[in-house]
Amino acid sequence: MPITADPALDESVQTALTACGVTPSMLGGDHEVTTPLTGQTVASVNMASVDDVSAAIERADVAFRTWRDVPAPERGQVVKRWGELLTEHKVDLAVLVQAEAGKVTSEALGEVQEMIDICDFALGQSRMLYGRTMPSERPGHRLMETWHPIGVVGVISAFNFPVAVYSWNTALALVAGNTVVWKPSPATALCSLATDALLARAIAECGAPSDIHQLVITNPESAAPILDDPRVALVSATGSTRMGKEVSPRVAARFGRYLLELGGNNAAIVTPSADLDLALRGIAFAAVGTAGQRCTTMRRLIVHESIADDLVERLISAYGTLTIGDPRDEKTLVGPLINEASFTAMQDSLDQARAEGGKVITGGRRVLADENPGAYFVEPAIVRMPRQSQVVHTETFAPILYVMTYSSLDEALEMHNAVPQGLSASIFTQDITEAEIFLSARGSDCGISNVNIGTSGAEIGGAFGGEKETGGGRESGSDAWKAYMRRATNTINYSGELPLAQGVEFL
């Protein structure tokens, strides 16, 4: 297995893989997995072909015929055991998340904790797949709804949350009685192998059908059957808006379902009444956490003109204290970008911002290049922008915070809602009227809207997702389980008569 020039990294990765149940036979192949910590190869894996993907769908479809008839609370036991194994191997899996996605230690551990949390949630949900009983207009009749599994669920996940968002889908899909075919980002293949191995162990220990979960590490071209095969009842895809525009029409063409979690271009409004110390902490984490590579990263800051200069100076000071570097160091707060392409995109956006009258007031430079020539560590950037500009309408997956000013709340809301994305939003205010307006129909048009916290850091208890070009999908908590099931309306006649609805008479 190819290794990096960092023996400590290689040893920790190999130890974590072994602990999670990944055997040497699962490694080695034509695809090299690199780490953003150094830019070097840490392992290689085989990439699935189109035929391999089709075969995985076939296995999952056959397994569904058995799995759908298993009582939901029994299905929940598989997810319960998976959660126990994730708890046992939390540090091991976090090591792999860190090595492949570049997250600082607390964020890598937090991602695995999200998996554990959704397993807990899904276990409870397995006893609460509720339908309703409605009053019938006909005597001696009962009207009700029931919920049933839909079949094979295809899950396409992204590099930035290589295991958490996938688990939101998988835990709920499994307790709903579906089977899963998972296509992760090839950039995070090792996380995927380890996660699949732990789930396979849970499935075996619970005596469930072995094929209810299928992992296919492959490129977008070879993953085509997930989009095109009618046996895949639902495609849940996380990624860019561009990707969503390719996925949705193909799945819709065969009348399949899709659940999209796409781009976010998230903003916070800071009002004159805001607690600026609180706002500063919320903005800093939301803007620079995961090196700006979250779909909920704060990318726009809309500040009242009376406090903008003060807040910006505070932010500049806070940014100056950020420790950038090896995410394995406990003091590090900002790790690397995923690759060179992300760094290039960041520089292009900063150039566009300058061309549109913006001023980069701090950050934007690559650092640590001499020590890590293959890695892309950057200083998070703050850019003062005019109120009217185009670059702020585009999501750049890097730590750039565009700062704009407003004079009235209506103006701030108009600026906030002007972008094509609609994922996460926040307002910092001590004025209850401003908070309520922000959360009302005339306020934020995002799927997630917060008061006095940042735009990132969602809990699994609430449904996660956004509107407009974010795709409209909902995952994780609340009633997101319904996306993985089909609803049937049932009428039971116990009257001995045959009255028709609406008073219709026939024969």
Side-chain angles (χ1 to χ4, degrees):
M1 183 171 69
I3 60 174
T4 72
D6 185 341
L9 177 62
D10 292 320
E11 182 179 357
S12 64
V13 167
Q14 299 232 23
T15 299
L17 287 170
T18 301
C20 291
V22 177
T23 64
S25 64
M26 299 176 186
L27 300 169
D30 53 358
H31 174 69
E32 292 188 344
V33 180
T34 60
T35 173
L37 278 62
T38 64
Q40 296 174 307
T41 298
V42 289
S44 62
V45 298
N46 275 314
M47 296 282 273
S49 66
V50 171
D51 290 342
D52 293 333
V53 175
S54 293
I57 293 171
E58 171 66 20
R59 290 191 296 271
D61 184 56
V62 171
F64 170 67
R65 313 295 168 174
T66 301
W67 187 238
R68 66 185 174 185
D69 291 331
V70 174
E74 188 176 334
R75 299 192 297 250
Q77 293 304 303
V78 173
V79 174
K80 176 185 178 182
R81 181 58 184 145
W82 189 30
E84 292 170 347
L85 291 171
L86 290 169
T87 302
E88 180 181 342
H89 295 283
K90 180 177 178 178
V91 173
D92 297 315
L93 194 51
V95 165
L96 300 175
V97 169
Q98 186 171 70
E100 292 189 293
K103 295 190 176 187
V104 299
T105 300
S106 66
E107 290 194 59
L109 289 167
E111 173 153 1
V112 184
Q113 186 60 50
E114 281 196 61
M115 303 179 74
I116 297 166
D117 292 345
I118 195 62
C119 287
D120 287 344
F121 184 94
L123 173 62
Q125 193 68 68
S126 69
R127 292 183 179 270
M128 297 186 295
L129 302 176
Y130 295 145
R132 298 176 177 176
T133 298
M134 293 79 74
S136 173
E137 66 186 61
R138 291 169 284 184
H141 286 63
R142 179 157 63 91
L143 188 62
M144 65 179 186
E145 66 180 23
T146 51
W147 292 84
H148 305 287
I150 54 175
V152 179
V153 174
V155 180
I156 300 172
S157 59
F159 80 88
N160 62 324
F161 277 87
V163 288
V165 176
Y166 144 81
S167 70
W168 296 351
N169 287 274
T170 299
L172 289 175
L174 290 176
V175 300
N178 305 301
T179 56
V180 174
V181 176
W182 177 26
K183 184 239 173 270
S185 167
T188 53
L190 303 185
C191 299
S192 310
L193 286 168
T195 298
D196 178 61
L198 292 173
L199 180 51
R201 179 177 164 188
I203 290 169
E205 290 179 2
C206 293
S210 60
D211 288 334
I212 61 174
H213 185 262
Q214 301 288 317
L215 170 65
V216 289
I217 300 172
T218 191
N219 55 42
E221 293 73 28
S222 295
I226 295 176
L227 306 183
D228 301 330
D229 194 318
R231 292 173 297 182
V232 180
L234 169 70
V235 177
S236 179
T238 302
S240 66
T241 297
R242 176 197 55 76
M243 182 269 285
K245 289 180 178 179
E246 295 177 5
V247 168
S248 55
R250 286 178 63 172
V251 178
R254 60 175 176 83
F255 295 99
R257 297 190 195 181
Y258 53 81
L259 190 165
L260 302 178
E261 294 288 357
L262 308 176
N265 191 354
N266 316 292
I269 296 172
V270 185
T271 74
S273 70
D275 178 338
L276 291 188
D277 290 333
L278 178 70
L280 179 65
R281 295 196 301 273
I283 294 164
F285 173 70
V288 307
T290 324
Q293 297 171 122
R294 289 182 175 222
C295 53
T296 53
T297 292
M298 188 182 299
R299 310 200 182 280
R300 298 176 295 136
L301 189 60
I302 303 168
V303 191
H304 192 271
E305 56 195 11
S306 65
I307 59 170
D309 292 342
D310 182 14
L311 180 56
V312 167
E313 286 303 315
R314 293 181 185 222
L315 281 169
I316 292 172
S317 296
Y319 274 41
T321 68
L322 295 174
T323 306
I324 304 167
D326 189 333
R328 293 170 293 177
D329 187 330
E330 292 183 358
K331 297 179 181 179
T332 298
L333 295 175
V334 182
L337 294 176
I338 190 67
N339 54 30
E340 182 181 7
S342 293
F343 174 73
T344 299
M346 180 178 182
Q347 299 310 304
D348 290 345
S349 293
L350 292 175
D351 288 343
Q352 184 180 349
R354 294 183 185 99
E356 294 181 8
K359 180 180 180 181
V360 180
I361 56 177
T362 191
R365 297 184 305 114
R366 184 183 178 190
V367 296
L368 306 175
D370 292 339
E371 302 97 307
N372 295 278
Y376 289 85
F377 296 89
V378 295
E379 293 177 332
I382 300 174
V383 187
R384 292 293 294 260
M385 293 298 297
R387 297 182 186 184
Q388 301 297 326
S389 59
Q390 286 302 309
V391 69
V392 301
H393 288 228
T394 302
E395 179 189 38
T396 300
F397 229 53
I400 301 174
L401 182 64
Y402 300 112
V403 181
M404 297 163 285
T405 61
Y406 76 93
S407 56
S408 70
L409 184 59
D410 284 342
E411 181 185 19
L413 290 170
E414 182 179 357
M415 294 167 65
H416 178 279
N417 295 341
V419 300
Q421 309 86 357
L423 178 53
S424 185
S426 63
I427 188 170
F428 289 91
T429 180
Q430 298 297 312
D431 186 323
I432 190 171
T433 299
E434 291 177 329
E436 291 293 342
I437 289 174
F438 183 74
L439 299 178
S440 73
R442 60 178 275 207
S444 164
D445 63 358
C446 293
I448 301 169
S449 297
N450 303 321
V451 177
N452 290 330
I453 64 171
T455 55
S456 60
E459 300 179 29
I460 61 94
F464 181 94
E467 301 301 322
K468 302 189 294 188
E469 287 191 1
T470 301
R474 293 296 185 275
E475 297 170 331
S476 189
S478 185
D479 64 349
W481 61 270
K482 293 181 178 179
Y484 309 93
M485 304 197 80
R486 61 178 177 86
R487 184 196 327 237
T489 300
N490 313 126
T491 303
I492 300 172
N493 178 8
Y494 59 91
S495 70
E497 303 293 336
L498 195 62
L500 301 178
Q502 291 87 46
V504 174
E505 293 185 5
F506 186 77
L507 297 179

